[in-house]
Amino acid sequence: PASAAATATAERVIVTGSNIPTAEEVGPNPVVNYNREDMQKSGKPNTEQFLLSLPIVNSNVIPVSNNENGSNTAVGAAAVSLRGLDPRATLVLVDGRRVAPYPVGNNPGPVNTMFVDLNSIPLSAIESIEILKDGDSAVYGADAVAGVVNLKMRHEYRGAEATIEYGNTEHDDAGLFQSSIIFGVGDDKTQIAGAMNYYHRN
């Protein structure tokens, strides 16, 4: 009699960070994942506003609305802060890797810490956002005392997508204009994707 061998396919698992020698003792850490559908349903125009709408992101953030008058060193920048600690206690990663912090200027002001500028990363280029809520992860060390925010980019994207947004107040004194475009081409071996973003706020 003929016997058919069953073929099993393993589901793809992407590990953001691991410390393999202690994996069995420590176990998995609590990670919350937000995909593109979650971000689109929120109606938030940028990465900063979406993160600010999450319950775990509360006080001590650096919002762009407080930095547009040139009174401190983070003009036009925004930072995320978990658990109400200083922004430098939250580690921000892009595709699981550390990125260069915002170049703090020479102007005096309340912002005197290093952080990753969220406004330098267009929301249209983000596939999902992972937030590690555990503040004592041995994988990332003292940079992640409050937790980790991992921004995962849209790599395997083909086609083009553009968004335009304009808003203002009743008294026409706080106009906002934002536009973004993402494009990508490729095949099974090569992928090329890029994103551009323009943001202006009175």
Side-chain angles (χ1 to χ4, degrees), residues 33-44 50 129:
N33 185 73
Y34 299 94
N35 55 28
R36 284 207 56 78
E37 184 178 357
D38 298 326
M39 292 181 280
Q40 290 173 349
K41 285 183 178 180
S42 71
K44 302 302 179 181
F50 175 75
I129 299 177

Side-chain angles (χ1 to χ4, degrees), residues 172-189:
D172 296 334
D173 58 353
L176 181 148
F177 177 79
Q178 177 172 263
S179 63
S180 65
I181 182 172
I182 180 170
F183 51 90
V185 295
D187 51 29
D188 295 336
K189 296 182 179 180

Side-chain angles (χ1 to χ4, degrees), residues 68 165-167 174-179 197-202:
E68 294 174 346
E165 177 185 5
Y166 175 78
L176 181 148
F177 177 79
Q178 177 172 263
S179 63
N197 187 74
Y198 176 82
Y199 179 85
H200 177 81
R201 179 173 175 174
N202 291 334

Side-chain angles (χ1 to χ4, degrees), residues 16 21 57 100 159 196 201:
T16 299
V57 180
M196 295 183 293
R201 179 173 175 174

